[in-house]
């Protein structure tokens, strides 16, 4: 009989799980460009994300940071929303909105509690600089910022999930991925990690409420990060 | 005329600059193995560090974490100090002393003040897991943990100093290396970074007081990290 190690490391997906990308982008757009459909703009920007990473995964692009991918998507998007006139400085500043995403209301309290019993780190496809700027602004109390950039591979590549275990010199079951996305959790589970699903019904905005049904394959299912702290006895 | 960017990122050397490796190892050895000359043991372990990294730099060893190098040095050292009888568990536990190094008395207060005006990160040859465990135990308030492990190169390789600037998308002069070692600072300066020297006269113990004379080539010279915070107006 094999004794499984209880997780000592919690690795968190970021976009949608820890921070509200949709609400944050909508908020900035409504202030800066009130004539634009901010909901459609935010959704279109995010929709370009997986195809852009796929160009890296397929080898069409060499290793590329998310900051650069976000900017490529943005440049394609602006004409479609009547914003082709934005200059370089305005584009660069708008692209940095991904560094300024707001946490969900429960995030800082939940992470602070979880941190008392676990080592908590990010595991995001966002680059290290983006994640650091976000954490400093939002007060996210990470013990360590891990990113696809450290492993030179994007989730759901096994190199990312197993990379966390390797970084901390623990077996895969010593790490739990915390995410609001079942596909991310399934890939982690296939690598031997424990998994915790976080409900984020408003990830895509109030007009596009997300199905947050439990998947029994996950180790835990929590309403939010404070609830996860409660479930884990923190 | 080129405008130089003022540093917004402070990158800290760790062993000797932020934490007291000599005092911490001496303390553990005096408790665990009081018959051993703890001062000589600590110095010998640390003395193996540069030669071990040189085996990686030269290509004799592939990329190897400091945890593994520390263990290789330890295994060679134990017979010389009459500790050849230590078993695997005791060796692994002793090797983890590098994760348990104590900060200097000014470290946490200084970093906490510096963090209010700068993004502060480690830049150490220590591996990410070691640095994370150390920070969690000692309460080091990093915004981000950077390591030779991220750049797959050991200091003083330019890839490490320039890697910090690249990570945060700033020019080299946007980063300042903070270290108690003039050779580390000189290598950073050659890459265009600003530099701050920290006096750590007791790095090698009270029996081996270190010369902490200023080098005018550094941007700043500070007694300790609280003094650096004062000098930088934090």
């Amino acid at each position: 009989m094999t004794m499984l190690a209880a997780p000592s490391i919690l690795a968190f997906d970021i976009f949608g799980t820890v921070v509200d990308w949709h609400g944050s982008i909508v908020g900035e757009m409504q202030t800066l460009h009130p004539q634009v459909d901010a909901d459609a703009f935010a959704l279109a920007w995010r929709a370009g994300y997986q195809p852009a990473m796929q160009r890296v995964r397929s080898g069409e692009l060499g290793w590329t940071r998310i900051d650069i991918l976000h900017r490529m998507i943005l440049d394609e998007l602006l004409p479609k929303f009547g914003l082709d006139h934005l200059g370089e400085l305005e584009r660069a500043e708008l692209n940095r909105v991904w560094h300024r995403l707001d946490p969900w209301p429960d995030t800082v309290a939940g992470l602070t509690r979880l941190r008392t019993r676990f080592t908590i780190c990010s595991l995001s496809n966002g680059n290290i600089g983006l994640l650091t700027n976000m954490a400093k602004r939002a007060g996210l109390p990470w013990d360590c910022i891990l990113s696809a950039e450290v492993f030179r591979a994007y989730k759901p590549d096994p190199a990312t999930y197993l990379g966390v275990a390797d970084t901390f010199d623990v077996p895969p079951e010593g790490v739990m991925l915390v995410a609001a996305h079942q596909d991310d959790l399934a890939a982690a589970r296939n690598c031997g990690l424990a998994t915790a699903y976080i409900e984020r019904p408003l990830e895509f905005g109030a007009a596009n409420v997300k199905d947050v049904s439990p998947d029994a394959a996950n180790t835990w299912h929590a309403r939010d990060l404070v609830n996860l702290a409660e479930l884990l006895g923190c």
Side-chain angles (χ1 to χ4, degrees), chain A:
Chain A
M1 183 181 145
T2 310
M3 276 288 282
L4 289 184
S8 57
I9 314 290
L10 302 184
F12 292 77
D13 175 63
I14 299 298
F15 301 125
T17 301
V18 166
V19 294
D20 175 12
W21 59 266
H22 181 275
S24 303
I25 293 173
V26 164
E28 282 217 12
M29 288 302 288
Q30 285 176 340
T31 302
L32 288 173
H33 306 289
Q35 76 284 12
V36 168
D37 180 343
D39 174 63
F41 185 85
L43 293 174
W45 205 352
R46 182 67 175 172
Y49 184 66
Q50 286 297 339
M53 284 191 295
Q54 191 50 39
R55 293 177 61 191
V56 176
R57 292 189 193 104
S58 71
E60 178 195 338
L61 288 177
W63 176 254
T64 310
R65 286 188 185 142
I66 288 292
D67 272 342
I68 308 292
L69 298 180
H70 277 148
R71 176 60 190 269
M72 290 164 50
I73 305 162
L74 178 65
D75 286 341
E76 285 181 28
L77 217 57
L78 290 177
K80 299 177 188 164
F81 285 86
L83 292 170
D84 205 19
H85 60 281
L86 294 191
E88 172 55 32
L89 281 177
E90 287 167 300
R91 289 172 188 231
E93 178 61 16
L94 181 53
N95 199 50
R96 295 259 296 191
V97 68
W98 294 93
H99 297 217
R100 294 186 296 269
L101 301 179
D102 293 320
W104 296 104
D106 54 281
T107 291
V108 173
L111 292 179
T112 301
R113 284 172 63 172
L114 289 162
R115 192 185 185 198
T116 60
R117 289 194 47 188
F118 297 90
T119 292
I120 63 169
C121 66
S122 56
L123 180 62
S124 170
N125 286 334
N127 44 294
I128 300 171
L130 178 160
L131 295 168
T132 303
N133 292 338
M134 173 195 287
K136 198 166 177 74
R137 176 182 174 280
L140 310 178
W142 302 124
D143 290 309
C144 179
I145 287 176
L146 292 180
S147 155
E149 191 178 3
V150 174
F151 307 115
R152 287 285 192 273
Y154 284 123
K155 293 190 292 181
D157 191 313
T160 59
Y161 309 111
L162 296 175
V164 178
D166 186 48
T167 295
F168 292 108
D169 196 22
V170 298
E173 69 267 21
V175 180
M176 181 151 68
L177 183 71
V178 182
H181 310 118
Q182 299 289 9
D183 54 350
D184 195 5
L185 295 167
R189 198 162 48 239
N190 284 341
C191 292
L193 277 71
T195 56
Y197 179 78
I198 308 297
E199 295 182 3
R200 293 299 187 198
L202 300 182
E203 176 177 359
F204 298 94
N208 301 278
V209 175
K210 191 170 81 170
D211 174 17
V212 294
S213 306
D215 179 342
N218 289 316
T219 320
W220 299 96
H221 178 101
R223 281 190 315 282
D224 57 29
L225 295 179
V226 168
N227 183 221
L228 181 64
E230 289 164 356
L231 294 173
L232 297 179
C234 298

